[in-house]
Amino acid sequence: MKSPLLLAVLIAATPPLRCADDFPPGPDSKVQPGVPQGELLKFEFADSKIFPGTTREITVYVPRQYDGSKPACVYVNQDGLQWNANVVFDNLIARGELPVIIGVFVRPGVVKAGDSARSLDRFNRSYEYDGLGDAYARFLLEEVLPAVEARSLPDGRAIRLSKSGNDRAIGGSSSGAIAAFTAAWERPDAFSRVFSCIGTYVGLRGGDRYPTLIRKTEPKALRIFLQDGDQDLNIYAGDWWMANNTMLRALTYAHYEVRHQWGDGGHSSKHGAMLFPDALRWLWQGWPQPVKAGQPPLERLGPILIPGEGWQLVGEGYRLSEGTAVNARGEVFFTDIPASKCYRIAPDGRPVEYLADTKRANGQAFGPDGRLYAVATATQQVLAYGPEGKVAVIASEIAGNDLVVAHNGNLYVTHPPSGASRDPSRIWLVRPDGSKQVVDSGLKYANGIALSPDQSLLYVADYQSHWVYSYVVQPDGTLAHKQRYFWLHEPDTNDQAYADGLKVDRHGNLWVATRLGIQVCDPAGRVNLILPTPNGRCTNLVFGGDKFDTLYASCNDKVYRRRLNLTGANAWAAPFKPAAPRL
């Protein structure tokens, strides 16, 4: 048994245990002698159109080294000035460990009550920060940063901010952290570096969806630093600690540049404040070399994407380019509805006019006879164009949207709600002899349409839901066993996926043009991957080129293409049975 004197000596010699959530900041977070101190400017911003009625304080940090001769790098932080960030910037910039950075610290918006004595203000923090979608990114890029640049320093220097995402970082704590990640996720061209402290990636407003989206979406050029503690919140919306670990595993799976630091703290920014200087060093490591996107050898994306083969602009200025089609030579055709023109992609990649008047044709597809079939919206007809441009009327009184022509000559047309009475959506079957019949009705908005490679199944996109329906094609061409089959992801800002054009590849996968990008579903009905397009739009797609291995996407006013490591299946070709999916 130890003597009392020995116990006293042992206690005195033992260093005190650090309490959970006790994270003292280091010297980089404290004012250092001889280090030039930057300026802080504050102003109220109350002119938002994206979050109307809100007012908020914005603090701008400008380092002493900024001379106004060229645009500075940018750091944007949510919840205002945190972590002694201005002092950290002073110290790290002075030592050359960071470039010259202007900090923009944004408070969440508040909608002031008309009578504060009787009414409560509306607090916009969760609305602005916790939701998915591009609203907050647009708010920063279209409203806040221009408002900062509209100001000048007391000595007359203009505030000039770099527009390059590689020169910008964004960060925050808790809901501010998910807001920072969302801004970068939606606009990686504008923010490429993210600092996330105790991030709220839980089910408050859909943040729990991020790990799934990260795994399925083509990796973006982002570098992310994650911090959390194992005593973080575990409440009605989810478990913050587990959510941050799940984010890390998803980002690692998708080969992002990601670093993390876990602690034993709770829902507090103390650990984040201690880590902030080191996190900034890592986030800006190697600058001005650009942050690179993850290169997936992923089991779904890896076999499809070709390293170095990204999207290329084919043409622009077409105003709502919609219907896409490909012929037996791999030539791609698309329509400009308002202009009533059809374009062909020439061998050198240039779009050239093919038909001068398509009667405002929407959907189009080639048939096994080599003719280009189109739905003429203006005349409510289904037309077929021969090689010389000679037109024939195939069917009338069909206000169609899209169509597909089977190898046996059967033609299926989607007919969305129309007229003042908003008649229900219909699917038409037009046989080679010209007879027609409605083979289904009742979808909210029947849109894109495609056949499986073996042509035993018909797929129809419901534009006003997150479903693509599957039907079994009967021997007489009619449809049976209707099922809401393919489950799609939808934007947070909408209650529908905006599923439009459909195509299939030779593996039996269904490619769906949606508001989130091109969603690729396996034959079992599951979204395996999402390919965003450069302008964030997509209305239709087709596989073209002499090997049918180049994906063309019509994206409102632009047409893009990219080569892939697979080939498309064409409805006009002989049917074939693909391999069964993994279940």
Side-chain angles (χ1 to χ4, degrees):
M1 180 176 179
K2 295 184 177 66
S3 68
L5 178 60
L6 178 59
L7 284 174
V9 170
L10 289 174
I11 292 172
T14 302
L17 296 175
R18 184 183 61 78
C19 297
D21 219 18
D22 180 16
F23 299 100
D28 291 329
S29 301
K30 300 175 181 177
V31 175
Q32 298 298 320
V35 172
Q37 296 182 15
E39 302 175 67
L40 292 177
L41 308 176
K42 292 185 179 182
F43 65 93
E44 183 181 83
F45 182 73
D47 298 324
S48 178
K49 302 295 188 296
I50 296 172
F51 300 122
T54 57
T55 62
R56 72 195 69 225
E57 180 185 78
I58 295 175
T59 302
V60 182
Y61 161 83
V62 181
R64 184 70 61 84
Q65 293 85 350
Y66 173 73
D67 61 14
S69 63
K70 61 180 180 180
C73 294
V74 183
Y75 173 80
V76 177
N77 197 80
Q78 282 46 253
D79 285 313
L81 185 60
Q82 293 179 307
W83 307 314
N84 285 335
N86 57 314
V87 175
V88 174
F89 283 129
D90 284 341
N91 292 327
L92 300 190
I93 292 172
R95 292 201 299 267
E97 295 177 338
L98 291 182
V100 174
I101 294 176
I102 290 178
V104 180
F105 302 89
V106 185
R107 299 286 300 172
V110 175
V111 180
K112 295 291 187 180
D115 181 354
S116 59
R118 298 170 58 87
S119 303
L120 187 67
D121 296 341
R122 189 175 76 193
F123 300 97
N124 252 33
R125 185 173 184 268
S126 178
Y127 177 68
E128 294 175 2
Y129 286 4
D130 292 321
L132 281 60
D134 68 351
Y136 191 71
R138 289 191 297 106
F139 168 68
L140 294 176
L141 297 172
E142 298 171 17
E143 299 185 338
V144 171
L145 296 185
V148 170
E149 289 191 295
R151 282 158 173 78
S152 57
L153 298 169
D155 62 5
R157 282 175 295 160
I159 298 178
R160 301 174 62 196
L161 307 177
S162 173
K163 302 298 189 291
S164 169
N166 192 55
D167 295 342
R168 290 173 169 175
I170 187 168
S173 178
S174 187
S175 293
I178 190 175
F181 181 83
T182 297
W185 177 261
E186 293 289 336
R187 293 293 304 273
D189 61 312
F191 301 102
S192 63
R193 307 164 198 271
V194 181
F195 176 62
S196 170
C197 171
I198 55 171
T200 303
Y201 304 105
V202 295
L204 287 177
R205 291 180 179 267
D208 52 330
R209 287 182 276 171
Y210 265 133
T212 298
L213 292 173
I214 290 167
R215 290 175 180 271
K216 293 184 179 184
T217 304
E218 181 177 9
K220 307 179 182 189
L222 298 176
R223 181 182 293 174
I224 303 104
F225 189 101
L226 296 172
Q227 177 278 332
D228 198 27
D230 61 11
Q231 300 302 307
D232 204 346
L233 296 174
N234 184 13
I235 58 173
Y236 71 97
D239 186 323
W240 268 245
W241 166 244
M242 296 304 297
N244 276 272
N245 277 271
T246 303
M247 283 287 289
L248 174 63
R249 290 181 63 83
L251 291 164
T252 302
Y253 167 84
H255 299 279
Y256 278 85
E257 290 188 65
V258 58
R259 181 169 290 187
H260 72 284
Q261 186 68 53
W262 301 146
D264 56 5
H267 198 70
S268 161
S269 60
K270 292 180 181 179
H271 191 197
M274 186 185 82
L275 295 171
F276 187 60
D278 286 337
L280 288 178
R281 289 187 187 93
W282 179 76
L283 287 171
W284 290 93
Q285 181 178 295
W287 180 89
Q289 292 298 316
V291 173
K292 295 181 180 180
Q295 296 298 320
L298 309 180
E299 77 274 11
R300 293 293 192 263
L301 276 168
I304 290 177
L305 301 184
I306 300 174
E309 291 279 352
W311 290 104
Q312 298 177 338
L313 179 66
V314 175
E316 58 186 329
Y318 301 110
R319 296 183 305 160
L320 302 172
S321 54
E322 282 276 353
T324 56
V326 63
N327 63 17
R329 295 186 295 277
E331 296 175 321
V332 171
F333 298 73
F334 66 90
T335 60
D336 182 333
I337 297 176
S340 285
K341 295 182 183 297
C342 176
Y343 293 89
R344 176 178 65 88
I345 308 296
D348 63 1
R350 292 183 305 106
V352 296
E353 187 176 299
Y354 179 68
L355 296 172
D357 184 7
T358 63
K359 312 298 183 187
R360 292 179 58 83
N362 198 342
Q364 58 183 18
F366 277 90
D369 56 5
R371 291 192 293 176
L372 177 63
Y373 290 77
V375 178
T377 307
T379 59
Q380 297 192 8
Q381 295 173 317
V382 178
L383 307 176
Y385 296 90
E388 310 300 326
K390 184 178 180 181
V391 62
V393 177
I394 304 301
S396 300
E397 298 180 355
I398 297 178
N401 181 280
D402 208 347
L403 79 166
V404 64
V405 188
H407 181 67
N408 63 10
N410 281 343
L411 186 151
Y412 295 91
V413 187
T414 55
H415 183 149
S418 59
S421 62
R422 300 296 287 173
D423 295 333
S425 288
R426 285 162 279 176
I427 302 172
W428 289 90
L429 165 64
V430 182
R431 296 186 174 86
D433 63 5
S435 61
K436 64 179 183 179
Q437 69 179 102
V438 174
V439 289
D440 186 63
S441 63
L443 272 66
K444 292 181 179 178
Y445 194 102
N447 201 335
I449 190 167
L451 285 159
S452 62
D454 57 17
Q455 303 201 4
S456 67
L457 300 170
L458 183 74
Y459 305 136
V460 179
D462 189 349
Y463 186 76
Q464 293 181 349
S465 76
H466 65 269
W467 292 102
V468 175
Y469 285 72
S470 177
Y471 303 81
V472 175
V473 179
Q474 301 298 293
D476 65 353
T478 57
L479 305 178
H481 310 308
K482 174 181 180 180
Q483 196 167 52
R484 294 191 304 180
Y485 190 71
F486 296 93
W487 185 96
L488 302 174
H489 295 276
E490 72 274 5
D492 185 63
T493 51
N494 299 104
D495 296 324
Q496 58 197 54
Y498 293 97
D500 204 330
L502 304 180
K503 295 294 184 294
V504 294
D505 62 36
R506 293 184 66 84
H507 298 291
N509 300 312
L510 179 68
W511 295 62
V512 188
T514 75
R515 190 62 60 87
L516 280 181
I518 298 171
Q519 301 190 42
V520 185
C521 307
D522 64 17
R526 305 165 295 199
V527 176
N528 284 189
L529 60 100
I530 303 171
L531 294 179
T533 57
N535 70 342
R537 300 286 185 269
C538 190
T539 54
N540 219 314
L541 63 144
V542 70
F543 293 97
D546 56 359
K547 297 180 181 179
F548 303 102
D549 62 351
T550 301
L551 177 65
Y552 288 80
S554 59
C555 304
N556 285 26
D557 63 331
K558 295 178 173 62
V559 177
Y560 298 99
R561 68 178 177 184
R562 70 183 298 174
R563 197 162 61 90
L564 300 173
N565 191 29
L566 54 70
T567 55
N570 295 299
W572 42 258
F576 65 93
K577 181 181 178 181
R582 287 184 292 172
L583 302 177

